[in-house]
Amino acid sequence: MTEHPTSHEGRQPLAARPQERARPRQQEGPPGAAATAAIPGPSPVPNTAKGPVPNAVPNPVPGAVDAAGSAVDPQTLARREGDRLRFVGAATRRIARGIDLDEIVLGLCRASVPTFSDAILVYLRDPLPVGDERPATPFVLRLRRTDRLRLTDEDNDGGPEGERLRLPVAGSQAGLLPAADLCEIRAGGALAEVLRGVRPVFGDSAAARVALPELLGAGRTVPTGHRAILAPLRGRRRVIGAAVFLRGPERPPFEANDLLVAAQLATHTALGIDKAVLYGREAYIADELQRTMLPDSLPQPTGVRLASRYLPAAETARVGGDWYDAIPLPGSRVALVVGDVMGHSMTSAAIMGQLRTTAQTLAGLDLPPQEVLHHLDEQAQRLGSDRMATCLYAVYDPVAHRITIANAGHPPPVLLHLGGRAEVLRVPPGAPIGVGGVDFEAVELDAPAGATLLLYTDGLVESRLRDVWTGIEILRERLATTAQLTGPDHSPPLEALCDDVLDMLGPGDRDDDIALLAARFDGIAPSDVAYWFLEPEDAAPGRARRLARRALSRWGLDDLSDEVELLVSEVVTNAVRYAERPVTLRLLRTDILRCEVGDDAPQLPRQRRARETDEGGRGLFLVNRLARRWGATRLSTGKVVWFEMATR
């Protein structure tokens, strides 16, 4: 370790050499301007001492004397100033290594104790102001951290002076310098004046003798025989805290040049804290942006189970352009989407949010997958010429057990069959979104019950160590191996499967964000589906009631007949009133009962409050009161009104 400066031949650090004590310092002020040649950093402190204070300089002149009047040779003075410079350099480097607030404060404590002081107290403003925001009032300082040096006889290991340094002990103040956790700064008080002055002061100066008890708390002061330096911590715009450096009576007292050392430590710490607070705010905004751009939770559509994962490229780049989504569609279908915008910046995340919102809107129009990608491509071109993204859009129909997929330059999905076979689906790759003038092609494939579809971004399969197709093959083999562990008749648990897939990543494989969406196809058996066409005539509601009653009786749900017949009659009556083509009626039985009525009229029904004299307008009110859930979705050919009932 080289952070605590020592001279050659095993000498102790500068602060621990009792044979080289400096002359007693003046009590009323900081050192003169001559010391600035030895310590780089802030502007020199004006000399307010009543008499001259000789300070060591880099090139001492012959005939220099110490406080006792003994001659000090120039080599000794030069060595002491060199040690001090090396200490400041090592300490500031240690402080600068910190990224977050705790690391920076810890760096200050570990750099100061024991080389510069025996103990340190670090106070920070609570709450810490961020950037240009106005700080909260009142001005309150909170004790953020304390470190101290402990010397124990029982730890004697034969080292220098028969004692062993055990350092530092965080949060330990007992028997050294007890201090209050909170301190409210009084306007116009002694502590406020010291903090406003910015420059460090000795603990036995006139200002510090009043300010320190205010900082430490009522009835608390620096123990007898100890020396202290009170150093304000000033950031770019304001004072954000204070540090108290303390030396015990067995150590040499602080010298005039030590004020400059304290100023350097305080300045670097305060600027580092300012940057850490700003970085923390940006990281918080990034996390919130990424969280709001991605789904809070996945829906639970009928006939399919979903699981997802999202991993940022690194903790220092938590915002990216990867996204996934699952969007319920009419007819118990679900749209599965995964995409990747170029870059890892706020701009990428913002573009991702716009594309995801556009995809949700297009899905609500029930457009085919290739049409959705076409409109996303147009939207990306409107956002800018360099807005590029890849996307895969799939629609799963649990009744038909089919899936329709369109691709825009994205890695192909992998389908894990129930028997354990993993298959990379042959999907036309297409061009990325934002290229423009490219047609997208959709393919329709079987989606057997028990199979699992895995959609992912290229961060899962591509890295500096392997190309994308090698990664896809590794993924396929990993899925097949995992499926074999559960046997040929059981699919692996979905959440555990996602975790196992991410475990394939090695130390050098995290070059990009990773979005993962897994869909387990359960499907809906044909015996649980009833489907009819009804002519748009006055007799249609009565026929719909009879058909619904028979289906419920066949499924053993006779206790729902009265409520379902009433609601079916109301919804079919509203559809017949505006439809010109046959009306569709479909009942789906899973863990719930779902009824869907479709017609060719695009106007969506709206619930309204009927007046006492109105003959109609109460149908949707009854649906809202009796159904578990209900809704209406516009289609390219009309609309579907649906409601769900709990099967008890």
Side-chain angles (χ1 to χ4, degrees):
M1 297 294 290
T2 60
E3 293 185 3
H4 302 308
T6 59
S7 55
H8 298 288
E9 301 178 0
R11 283 190 297 269
Q12 290 180 274
L14 171 67
R17 294 194 208 121
Q19 71 273 20
E20 295 183 14
R21 295 177 183 269
R23 79 170 71 189
R25 50 177 159 66
Q26 298 293 330
Q27 302 297 320
E28 298 298 326
T36 61
I39 304 295
S43 300
V45 182
N47 188 4
T48 58
K50 296 180 180 179
V53 181
N55 293 309
V57 294
N59 298 305
V61 297
V65 297
D66 60 12
S70 302
V72 180
D73 62 280
Q75 292 181 351
T76 300
L77 291 177
R79 184 178 64 248
R80 292 170 62 183
E81 292 308 317
D83 286 345
R84 183 178 283 110
L85 285 173
R86 283 190 292 274
F87 164 71
V88 171
T92 53
R93 285 194 300 272
R94 186 163 194 167
I95 295 170
R97 282 202 299 265
I99 296 178
D100 60 25
L101 182 62
D102 291 332
E103 288 180 349
I104 293 171
V105 174
L106 178 62
L108 170 64
C109 295
R110 295 294 168 87
S112 303
V113 180
T115 308
F116 183 67
S117 62
D118 292 332
I120 184 174
L121 306 180
V122 182
Y123 286 83
L124 295 181
R125 196 162 189 160
D126 186 25
L128 276 168
V130 181
D132 296 330
E133 70 179 22
R134 297 180 64 86
T137 54
F139 189 169
V140 176
L141 292 180
R142 179 180 294 275
L143 183 60
R144 184 75 183 196
R145 186 180 179 89
T146 69
D147 274 9
R148 72 181 181 92
L149 171 68
R150 288 194 294 181
L151 301 176
T152 60
D153 294 333
E154 59 203 28
D155 285 340
N156 186 357
D157 64 347
E161 300 182 7
E163 291 180 330
R164 178 181 179 183
L165 301 182
R166 193 169 61 197
L167 69 342
V169 182
S172 178
Q173 313 166 54
L176 186 61
L177 185 58
D181 288 335
L182 287 177
C183 171
E184 182 174 340
I185 309 300
R186 295 182 288 105
L191 181 57
E193 292 300 321
V194 171
L195 296 179
R196 186 179 297 112
V198 177
R199 299 176 177 123
V201 295
F202 290 120
D204 52 3
S205 65
R209 280 196 297 267
V210 183
L212 277 173
E214 184 180 344
L215 178 65
L216 302 178
R220 297 182 174 95
T221 185
V222 177
T224 304
H226 290 70
R227 283 87 168 182
I229 289 179
L230 174 57
L233 302 178
R234 177 178 174 82
R236 295 183 304 160
R237 298 182 181 276
R238 58 185 64 88
V239 174
I240 59 174
V244 179
F245 302 93
L246 190 75
R247 283 186 185 175
E250 71 281 355
R251 292 279 294 272
F254 288 113
E255 301 177 357
N257 281 351
D258 290 330
L259 286 179
L260 293 176
V261 174
Q264 284 281 60
L265 299 179
T267 299
H268 281 81
T269 301
L271 293 177
I273 290 174
D274 256 358
K275 294 178 182 178
V277 171
L278 288 172
Y279 171 77
R281 172 62 61 87
E282 290 183 359
Y284 170 78
I285 294 173
D287 288 341
E288 286 296 301
L289 178 62
Q290 190 72 54
R291 185 185 63 81
T292 55
M293 292 296 184
L294 297 174
D296 288 334
S297 60
L298 293 173
Q300 299 178 352
T302 303
V304 61
R305 286 172 286 168
L306 302 172
S308 63
R309 295 290 186 273
Y310 174 82
L311 292 179
E315 284 299 315
T316 55
R318 286 178 261 196
V319 175
D322 292 19
W323 90 92
Y324 62 88
D325 213 344
I327 310 167
L329 299 178
S332 298
R333 296 169 301 149
V334 59
L336 307 173
V337 191
V338 65
D340 183 4
V341 178
M342 290 192 311
H344 305 91
S345 62
M346 291 283 193
T347 302
S348 300
I351 296 172
M352 177 267 285
Q354 291 175 300
L355 293 180
R356 179 176 177 241
T357 302
T358 303
Q360 289 179 327
T361 303
L362 296 171
L365 299 177
D366 199 28
L367 297 178
Q370 65 271 23
E371 289 296 320
V372 171
L373 295 184
H374 173 73
H375 289 293
L376 284 176
D377 180 55
E378 292 181 337
Q379 175 67 7
Q381 293 179 68
R382 284 191 289 267
L383 294 176
S385 58
D386 58 343
R387 307 312 188 195
M388 303 284 290
T390 63
C391 182
L392 192 143
Y393 188 95
V395 175
Y396 171 63
D397 188 341
V399 177
H401 295 270
R402 303 281 287 177
I403 186 168
T404 306
I405 306 176
N407 191 6
H410 205 77
V414 179
L415 184 65
L416 178 62
H417 293 269
L418 184 60
R421 181 172 63 92
E423 174 188 6
V424 179
L425 297 182
R426 298 179 179 273
V427 180
I433 290 172
V435 173
V438 179
D439 290 331
F440 298 98
E441 182 181 353
V443 295
E444 187 173 349
L445 305 170
D446 289 330
T452 303
L453 184 69
L454 206 69
L455 308 180
Y456 53 90
T457 55
D458 59 357
L460 180 66
V461 294
E462 185 179 21
S463 70
R464 293 176 304 222
L465 304 179
R466 64 190 181 202
D467 61 75
V468 62
W469 288 108
T470 301
I472 292 174
E473 181 60 23
I474 295 175
L475 172 62
R476 188 193 66 79
E477 294 175 355
R478 186 62 176 258
L479 290 173
T481 302
T482 302
Q484 291 174 2
L485 299 177
T486 59
D489 299 328
H490 298 85
S491 301
L494 207 55
E495 295 291 341
L497 180 65
C498 291
D499 292 336
D500 192 64
V501 166
L502 295 181
D503 285 343
M504 65 179 268
L505 297 172
D509 294 340
R510 289 292 304 281
D511 299 331
D512 199 357
D513 304 337
I514 298 174
L516 177 66
L517 179 63
R520 173 71 45 76
F521 299 143
D522 294 331
I524 300 176
S527 59
D528 293 329
V529 181
Y531 192 84
W532 305 279
F533 287 94
L534 304 174
E535 292 296 328
E537 55 189 14
D538 294 340
R543 182 166 179 256
R545 289 194 298 270
R546 292 191 297 272
L547 294 173
R549 186 186 311 119
R550 293 172 188 170
L552 294 177
S553 178
R554 184 170 69 252
W555 291 334
L557 300 176
D558 297 278
D559 54 341
L560 296 180
S561 292
D562 293 341
E563 295 177 355
V564 172
E565 286 183 46
L566 174 60
L567 299 186
V568 166
S569 178
E570 293 292 340
V571 176
V572 171
T573 298
N574 187 74
V576 168
R577 181 178 302 171
Y578 302 103
E580 297 181 358
R581 297 179 181 178
V583 175
T584 60
L585 171 63
R586 184 165 75 167
L587 297 180
L588 303 173
R589 183 191 65 165
T590 54
D591 53 341
I592 59 173
L593 179 69
R594 182 181 176 98
C595 175
E596 300 172 349
V597 177
D599 60 70
D600 60 345
Q603 296 82 10
L604 298 180
R606 294 287 183 266
Q607 182 181 349
R608 63 184 180 89
R609 183 178 296 276
R611 294 172 296 183
E612 295 181 358
T613 57
D614 292 343
E615 296 183 359
R618 297 178 177 82
L620 290 181
F621 176 77
L622 293 174
V623 173
N624 187 62
R625 292 297 299 269
L626 298 178
R628 177 188 176 188
R629 291 195 311 153
W630 76 279
T633 305
R634 183 179 284 111
L635 306 177
S636 57
T637 57
K639 68 175 181 294
V640 168
V641 180
W642 56 270
F643 64 85
E644 295 176 350
M645 305 289 291
T647 57
R648 49 184 182 270

